[in-house]
Amino acid sequence: MTPGEVLALAERGRQAGCKEALFSLGDQPEKIFPEAREFLRTQGHSRTLDYLAAMCELVLEKTGLLPHANPGVMDRAALMRLKDSNASVGLMLENASPRLMRDGLPHAKAPDKVPALRLRTIEEAGKLSIAFTTGILIGIGETIEEHIDSLFAIRTLQEKYGHIQEVIIQNFRAKPGIPMSAHPEPSLEDMLRTIALARLILGPHMNVQAPPNLSYDDFPRLLDAGINDWGGISPVTKDFINPEAAWPQIARLQTETESRGFALRERLALYPEFVSREEFLSSRVRNRITEVAAADGFARDEAHVARI
């Protein structure tokens, strides 16, 4: 996307009442694709991470949407620059097991999936006091013991730095054209069991999310397993990572959530418990957070929910 395209889409989001701009992209495509290198050259950059930072700054300045960047493995310099414009940053651990990198397994020939590199990125974010979203991906050939080890790896970093704001439990969905298109998908029961494990391992205060659109009509059952967050839902764009899976309507989310005794609240890209912690906010982000956060740290108004 060019800067003009990025800004136009962000402006559509602002007009629809959105408060967050999610930047989700692959790891350093310029290392493999000459087209990516050429595009970056035309934009005056040599690294996707630098172009990403420039676009986050542009969106924050021009639209007020709070950026949340999810660009894969990041070095300290990239994290430091992203902190200036991002309310939070994310990287899925997926799994802490190096076994999955063996030939014939899902992370083979994927150097960006090396668990140590991903864990190092998460740790660097902790050292820099960056609110961080991470999580695990289930159903790709891992064992339940590897689920547990991965969740404990996340807990260890959280106990050391206190910066992990959210842990996502995401289920693999097979898609045509991908190497694992014929791989069996995890069952809903697998999801529920893993969410329950995450809640037990990470404790009552961690925000645990599972994407509702990847569980289709069964998504309300995710609440029974212990999640307290539905993730981001856009009135403007599809889920580009899972385009075949439509977002649920917010009205249905509210009905299903409240029928189980919970309240549905809109949060920001920065979770409420981090909003008042100044070490997690650059001055630019703090100024915008002040405008959109209520006293309890959630989004200041929910008027746009009724329009969706």
Side-chain angles (χ1 to χ4, degrees), residues 19 264-267 298-306:
K19 297 179 180 65
L264 186 68
R265 292 289 307 279
E266 181 189 3
R267 64 163 171 83
F298 285 93
R300 176 163 289 177
D301 74 85
E302 297 175 329
H304 73 285
V305 171

Side-chain angles (χ1 to χ4, degrees), residues 20 25-26 69 72 87 146 150 154 159 177 187 195 198 202 207 217 246 257 294:
E20 173 181 352
L25 53 153
E146 288 167 334
S150 301
I154 292 170
E159 288 174 343
S187 67
I195 291 167
L202 300 171
N207 298 299
D217 284 341
T257 301

Side-chain angles (χ1 to χ4, degrees), residues 185-200:
E185 298 178 344
S187 67
L188 179 61
E189 286 66 32
D190 292 331
M191 272 292 283
L192 298 177
R193 179 174 60 248
T194 309
I195 291 167
L197 283 170
R199 177 55 70 204
L200 290 169

Side-chain angles (χ1 to χ4, degrees), residues 231-261:
I233 294 174
S234 174
V236 175
T237 61
K238 61 187 176 183
D239 180 346
F240 285 104
I241 308 302
N242 301 281
E244 76 287 351
W247 304 116
Q249 293 295 307
I250 291 178
R252 185 178 176 202
L253 272 183
Q254 184 162 2
T255 298
E256 298 288 359
T257 301
E258 291 177 353
S259 72
R260 285 162 171 77

Side-chain angles (χ1 to χ4, degrees), residues 15 24 87 92 111 149 204 226 251 268 307:
Q15 291 176 4
S24 190
M92 290 289 282
D149 289 344
L268 303 171
R307 301 198 298 270

Side-chain angles (χ1 to χ4, degrees), residues 143-155:
T143 65
I144 192 168
E145 289 81 9
E146 288 167 334
H147 289 167
I148 293 169
D149 289 344
S150 301
L151 291 166
F152 271 106
I154 292 170
R155 190 177 90 168

